[in-house]
Amino acid sequence: MKKFQPKNIEKFFAISLSYEKADIKTRGRYSFFPEMVEGFTKTINALSNTTIFVLSTCNRTEIYTQTECLEKVVDAFCKQINVVTTEFKKYITVHKGKNAINHFLRVSSGLESQIIGDFEIISQIKTWFKRFKKYKSTNAFLERLINTGIQTSKKIKYTTTLSNGATSMSYAAVHYILKNFTQLSDKKITIIGTGKIGKNTCENLVKHVNDPDITLLNRTISKAEEIAYTFDLKVDNFNNLTKQVNKSDIVIVTTGASEPIITEKNLDVKRPITFIDLSIPSNVCVSLKEHDQVTLLNIDDLSKIVNETFEKRNKEIPKAESIINEMMQEFIIWSENRKYVPIILAFKSDLERIKDHQIKTLKKDQVIISEEQIELSDRLVQKITNKLANYLITNPEKADDTISLFKEMFQLQVSKM
């Protein structure tokens, strides 16, 4: 049966490969792409008692799973992305049980981001979870965890100042441009890729630069045109990438290709040009750094520059951690209480059976039963069921004995979740 027995939080794992142990090149090698989800979930769904979703961003690739066979999950993941398991294990940190829950909530809240307080991560988490839910590799435990992450992120965002200042890679890129360039209205800026990061970069540039000269390129031109219309920018065809790059002063790359889309063959270096690569793996060939006229920054470079100005944020971290601890305890209580669901459902089902039998008996005796009486009997069934549920939740030390007694007394057939 696919659904996981919820009584053991210790079967929940978070496998993390992030910037803390892996540089940008290494993270690129272990990236997981959306087109891999369908094939990967087929393998995972064949395992017993295993549910999963993967998060892959510029800073991290992480596996969140409830499983009894962690090694098989890791092997399946490595096979899917075509890497050697022993090499992958050199860069990962494995969190288990409550520590895994805590780690996920820290990631959701931006505390584990390269730029502390980066709240773009929660949107990426939601997107990745939907991809795995589509192929039925998730369960109620993981969905509730996602929702807890969303609520934790919101609470931290609106009750602390952790998000003040530059809170994302897109803003970090703009922060760098504002600091290192003058007369920006005269600079030709090209943004390649119009996903969430590309759109946010456009918005931040328009907000901080008076009448910017920005051209958007995207493989699906209609998406670029939509954003260009919103911010009154220019659009060029993706096929003109080389031509557009070579007439630009600043090129910001936010694409999600599995290999560089800008290489030396795209470049005719005749004047200074700055590349800001916000992609993982790198979508701008690192060898371009060797050109005297080229400045190339990736997300690791940006995070080092920006984090130097974030000392004030550190004062907010204890407040955020307190919120995370509070939300984690609520999640654990919910998860632990779910173990009572099978007995509660079985008990309610037995009461329903008794009720239905009695109604049939009365009808055979030609007793008229009104809709109001049937509704009243339904309410009684629910009220008695609630009594059992409340007793189990408020008396966990007596729960096992109570469950055994009810099973024996009512001959209940309790199914596993």
Side-chain angles (χ1 to χ4, degrees):
M1 183 170 286
K2 182 65 184 165
K3 294 181 181 178
F4 199 91
Q5 186 74 7
K7 66 181 181 180
N8 193 355
I9 288 177
E10 290 303 302
K11 295 297 183 182
F12 176 61
F13 299 90
I15 302 168
S16 174
L17 185 151
S18 75
Y19 67 93
E20 292 182 345
K21 285 188 177 182
D23 61 21
I24 191 167
K25 184 178 180 180
T26 303
R27 298 201 301 277
R29 193 160 66 244
Y30 297 107
S31 291
F32 189 90
F33 297 96
E35 58 268 25
M36 297 176 175
V37 175
E38 183 176 6
F40 181 55
T41 52
K42 284 181 180 178
T43 303
I44 292 299
N45 289 342
L47 300 177
S48 62
N49 289 337
T50 297
T51 56
I52 199 168
F53 81 96
V54 174
L55 168 68
S56 191
T57 73
C58 58
N59 289 333
R60 64 189 63 252
T61 295
E62 302 203 329
I63 305 167
Y64 296 99
T65 180
Q66 263 191 320
T67 185
E68 294 176 341
C69 44
L70 186 62
E71 287 296 323
K72 290 182 179 180
V73 169
V74 174
D75 287 342
F77 176 82
C78 291
K79 184 177 180 180
Q80 181 65 56
I81 65 172
N82 195 28
V83 299
V84 179
T85 302
T86 53
E87 288 297 311
F88 175 69
K89 287 182 176 180
K90 292 179 181 179
Y91 300 102
I92 65 173
T93 300
V94 179
H95 305 273
K96 181 181 179 183
K98 294 178 182 179
N99 289 334
I101 295 169
N102 180 265
H103 174 75
F104 172 76
L105 295 180
R106 288 180 64 87
V107 171
S108 303
S109 305
L111 288 189
E112 295 296 324
S113 298
Q114 275 187 296
I115 298 180
I116 294 173
D118 180 359
F119 287 99
E120 282 184 1
I121 187 67
I122 196 64
S123 175
Q124 294 169 313
I125 287 172
K126 289 190 285 186
T127 298
W128 276 104
F129 183 78
K130 286 179 182 177
R131 289 169 179 153
F132 279 80
K133 184 178 180 181
K134 177 182 177 181
Y135 294 104
K136 304 185 186 306
S137 70
T138 64
N139 64 352
F141 178 95
L142 292 179
E143 185 143 16
R144 180 73 177 224
L145 183 65
I146 295 296
N147 290 332
T148 301
I150 293 169
Q151 295 305 313
T152 304
S153 176
K154 286 181 179 178
K155 196 166 185 179
I156 289 173
K157 185 174 183 178
Y158 294 115
T159 61
T160 74
T161 59
L162 196 67
S163 63
N164 286 6
T167 61
S168 67
M169 283 299 169
S170 58
Y171 188 90
V174 175
H175 179 87
Y176 173 82
I177 291 169
L178 294 173
K179 186 177 179 180
N180 290 275
F181 290 87
T182 58
Q183 296 179 311
L184 274 168
S185 297
D186 298 331
K187 304 296 182 185
K188 293 186 181 297
I189 302 173
T190 296
I191 299 177
I192 306 173
T194 54
K196 186 173 180 61
I197 294 177
K199 183 179 179 181
N200 287 347
T201 303
C202 288
E203 185 175 1
N204 284 319
L205 278 171
V206 170
K207 189 183 298 183
H208 293 91
V209 180
N210 182 37
D211 193 24
D213 183 356
I214 300 174
T215 301
L216 306 182
L217 277 74
N218 196 68
R219 291 190 186 277
T220 305
I221 195 168
S222 59
K223 292 183 179 180
E225 289 173 337
E226 183 180 342
I227 295 173
Y229 177 80
T230 302
F231 298 113
D232 192 24
L233 307 175
K234 293 181 285 188
V235 174
D236 199 354
N237 195 294
F238 195 85
N239 294 332
N240 296 329
L241 183 146
T242 297
K243 181 180 178 182
Q244 181 61 38
V245 164
N246 283 298
K247 65 180 182 180
S248 301
D249 299 294
I250 302 168
V251 178
I252 304 171
V253 182
T254 70
T255 46
S258 58
E259 57 186 24
I261 63 168
I262 297 178
T263 63
E264 293 192 42
K265 69 178 183 180
N266 299 113
L267 201 62
D268 181 16
V269 183
K270 294 180 179 177
R271 60 196 180 99
I273 182 170
T274 295
F275 290 97
I276 300 178
D277 187 2
L278 302 181
S279 307
I280 289 288
S282 298
N283 280 188
V284 179
C285 187
V286 293
S287 64
L288 295 184
K289 276 189 173 182
E290 297 174 8
H291 291 272
D292 294 337
Q293 297 277 57
V294 172
T295 300
L296 171 58
L297 295 97
N298 58 36
I299 57 175
D300 286 353
D301 300 320
L302 288 174
S303 64
K304 290 175 185 176
I305 294 168
V306 178
N307 272 327
E308 292 173 0
T309 67
F310 287 170
E311 293 299 325
K312 292 181 180 178
R313 289 195 179 191
N314 292 334
K315 297 178 181 179
E316 295 296 292
I317 291 177
K319 296 178 187 177
E321 290 176 332
S322 177
I323 292 170
I324 287 172
N325 186 60
E326 174 190 333
M327 298 298 289
M328 184 177 77
Q329 293 307 317
E330 287 184 14
F331 177 81
I332 290 171
I333 290 171
W334 169 84
S335 180
E336 289 296 320
N337 287 341
R338 286 191 72 231
K339 64 186 176 185
Y340 304 135
V341 171
I343 184 67
I344 292 167
L345 292 178
F347 179 60
K348 183 178 181 180
S349 178
D350 198 58
L351 292 180
E352 294 277 6
R353 181 187 58 77
I354 294 170
K355 180 203 71 174
D356 292 341
H357 177 74
Q358 291 302 315
I359 289 174
K360 287 180 180 178
T361 300
L362 290 171
K363 285 183 177 179
K364 282 182 181 179
D365 294 338
Q366 297 185 339
V367 175
I368 298 174
I369 303 173
S370 67
E371 290 296 324
E372 288 79 6
Q373 288 172 316
I374 293 176
E375 184 178 345
L376 177 61
S377 65
D378 289 337
R379 289 180 183 175
L380 286 172
V381 167
Q382 188 59 56
K383 189 170 184 179
I384 295 170
T385 303
N386 289 345
K387 285 281 187 181
L388 173 60
N390 289 335
Y391 182 82
L392 292 173
I393 291 170
T394 55
N395 298 277
E397 72 283 355
K398 300 178 182 178
D400 288 343
D401 290 340
T402 303
I403 290 171
S404 296
L405 177 63
F406 269 67
K407 281 183 179 180
E408 182 178 351
M409 184 186 305
F410 294 95
Q411 296 296 300
L412 299 178
Q413 298 297 316
V414 179
S415 61
K416 290 184 178 181
M417 293 188 67

